[in-house]
Amino acid sequence: MNRIGLVASLALLAGICLGSANLLAGNELASDGVDDGNSTGSERIKDLANIAGVRDNQLIGYGLVVGLNGTGDQTTQAPFTVQSLKNMLGQLGVTIPPNVNPQLKNVAAVMITADLAPFAKPGQRMDITVSSLGNAKSLRGGTLLMTPMKGADGQVYAMAQGNLTVGGFGAGGDDGSSITVNVPSVGRIPNGATVEREVPSSFGQGDSLVLNLKRPDFTTANQMSEVINERFGGDVAQPLDGSSVQVRAPTDRGQRVAFVSMLENLSVATGDPPARVVINARTGTIVIGSGVKVTPAAVSHGNLTVTISEDPQVSQPQPFGRGQTAIVPNSNVEVTQDENRMFLFAPGTSLGEIVQAVNDVGAAPGDLVAILEALREAGALRADLVVI
């Protein structure tokens, strides 16, 4: 049996032993932070953290989409499309005179974007997104010509080409009326790019790995290191800060893969998220976390509405008079104030009680934003107020 097969067998045996130990330990093991994954508040390490150096890499490219049904770029307003077409044809041996500018409607200049997955090997395929760069009305029915895709270092890592799938469409009439559904100027090509170069990885280097938490939290980092040490013994893991945990790992690449496979499936009892209120000022959406509380405070919120309406009157002179017809302005001003009663927040008021109190006085989402901001200014809101 080779080394990799031996490692896999040992890993399977260790997993069986761990399952038996967990079954015998019961609640004692769960109280130390190791969890079977079914209790509330526990998540797998693979869902909580990423391994440093194992990440996606963004790729970008510039190309041409051809075969459009008259919905391409207007070349007079997008001269770079004609320039790109001339350059491409020149590379294919077709020469266009310098003073000739083809007026085409079936070609569009586009930008191609993609995420290159970690450990992607030459020959593998990946999905790409194609977006119009000029003023093309739609990319439906188009074909992307072969386009190199580069990384941040300027190196070519993939080649893209294929037929687009577009989820939107548009139609228009001769009188200028038009209708558009979704966004027809953006499309996708499933498996539209082929990887040509592998990105170097630091996964197999050194004698340790670093787990970076997706959401920094000191409690979660400490719990994670305790779970790993409980599983593998000794001081295998130690938290570096609230965002990173360093774990000693085998230097052999095959053994490291088996080690990470066991590591990422361990369950960790996560810490409670920080108390936070998130407000979307554009849509009026408000999300209040479960840990939000307020100190004693009394709130009274009323709406003052001022309505101004114009009702112009026409002044008509008497028959055979020498007067002139005139429009006399007539403005009506109305002031309305809602009589909402005051409500009191007791010490340690929870999320449900805040929502119930606000609903009782009939406050709209916009009113709730004003109330929360006032509570924060008064020092009564025990949470971070985030406006996005």
Side-chain angles (χ1 to χ4, degrees), residues 281-302:
R282 295 180 295 274
T283 63
T285 303
I286 302 172
V287 179
I288 304 176
S290 60
V292 175
K293 294 184 180 297
V294 295
T295 57
V299 178
S300 177
H301 183 77

Side-chain angles (χ1 to χ4, degrees), residues 21-22 24 39 41 48 53 77 91 108 128-129 137 150 162 167 178 183 202 220 250 262 269 305 321 344 351 357 387:
N22 285 345
L24 294 175
S39 63
L48 292 173
Q77 300 177 7
Q91 294 178 1
I128 59 175
T129 301
K137 297 179 180 178
K150 300 181 179 181
S178 63
V183 182
S202 60
T220 303
M262 294 185 292
T305 304
L344 176 67
L351 168 64
V387 180

Side-chain angles (χ1 to χ4, degrees), residues 308-381:
I308 302 176
S309 59
E310 298 291 340
D311 185 19
Q313 304 292 329
V314 178
S315 177
Q316 183 72 28
Q318 295 296 329
F320 304 104
R322 296 183 178 181
Q324 295 181 353
T325 302
I327 298 178
V328 179
N330 182 23
S331 299
N332 298 320
V333 181
E334 181 181 358
V335 180
T336 304
Q337 184 173 9
D338 297 339
E339 296 181 357
N340 291 332
R341 62 183 183 273
M342 178 179 292
F343 54 90
L344 176 67
F345 286 145
T349 301
S350 64
L351 168 64
E353 294 168 333
I354 295 175
V355 175
Q356 184 62 37
V358 173
N359 288 336
D360 289 342
V361 299
D367 301 326
L368 180 57
V369 173
I371 292 173
L372 293 173
E373 290 179 345
L375 286 172
R376 185 191 63 172
E377 293 298 327
L381 182 65

